[in-house]
């Protein structure tokens, strides 16, 4: 596993998430100053950003597959409901899916 990105941060809160975010978790960290940061974003930006506290959202590894299954089920349900309620609920589900992906 390549941890080169993670090595740019000093994590707070014993590496425990501080919040949950839709399809991931949020961690509190401080951006490490030094050559690795300069190589990643350039010297000028490293001077500005180094040492700042940030929130890092990490997507759950299975999020895309779970969202795909959810959209499939939403569309199937919309098609079924459309038979009873009228309207093009499947089109609404499709629009939502296009926004999501």
């Amino acid at each position: 596993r390549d941890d080169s990105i993670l090595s740019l941060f000093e994590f707070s809160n014993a590496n425990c998430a501080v919040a949950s975010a839709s399809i991931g978790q949020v961690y509190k960290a401080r951006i490490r100053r030094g050559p690795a940061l300069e190589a990643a974003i350039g010297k000028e930006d490293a001077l500005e950003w180094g040492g700042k506290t940030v929130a890092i959202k990490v997507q759950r590894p299975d999020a895309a597959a779970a969202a795909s299954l959810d959209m499939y089920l939403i569309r199937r349900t919309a098609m079924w409901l459309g038979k009873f309620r009228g309207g093009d609920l499947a089109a609404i589900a499709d629009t939502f899916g296009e926004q999501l992906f």
Side-chain angles (χ1 to χ4, degrees), residues 8-12 27-31 51-56:
L8 297 174
F9 302 96
E10 297 169 18
F11 288 88
S12 304
Y27 296 84
K28 181 179 178 181
R30 182 180 312 270
I31 301 173
K52 289 193 177 187
T53 300
V54 295
I56 300 174

Side-chain angles (χ1 to χ4, degrees), residues 2-62:
D2 181 14
D3 288 321
S4 59
I5 298 296
L6 293 178
S7 70
L8 297 174
F9 302 96
E10 297 169 18
F11 288 88
S12 304
N13 201 34
N15 289 338
C16 293
V18 295
S20 178
S22 60
I23 59 171
Q25 293 180 312
V26 179
Y27 296 84
K28 181 179 178 181
R30 182 180 312 270
I31 301 173
R32 287 190 173 129
R33 292 183 170 101
L37 182 61
E38 290 178 11
I41 65 173
K43 191 170 187 169
E44 187 176 317
D45 285 335
L47 287 172
E48 179 183 348
W49 287 96
K52 289 193 177 187
T53 300
V54 295
I56 300 174
K57 181 178 177 183
V58 179
Q59 182 175 325
R60 292 184 180 100
D62 61 343

Side-chain angles (χ1 to χ4, degrees), residues 22-24 60 62-79 89-90 92-94 96-98 100-101:
S22 60
I23 59 171
R60 292 184 180 100
D62 61 343
S68 294
L69 175 60
D70 290 348
M71 279 310 308
Y72 170 77
L73 296 172
I74 287 170
R75 189 169 198 289
R76 290 290 304 253
T77 302
M79 291 171 61
L89 298 177
I92 295 170
D94 290 344
F96 177 68
E98 289 170 7
L100 185 61
F101 296 100

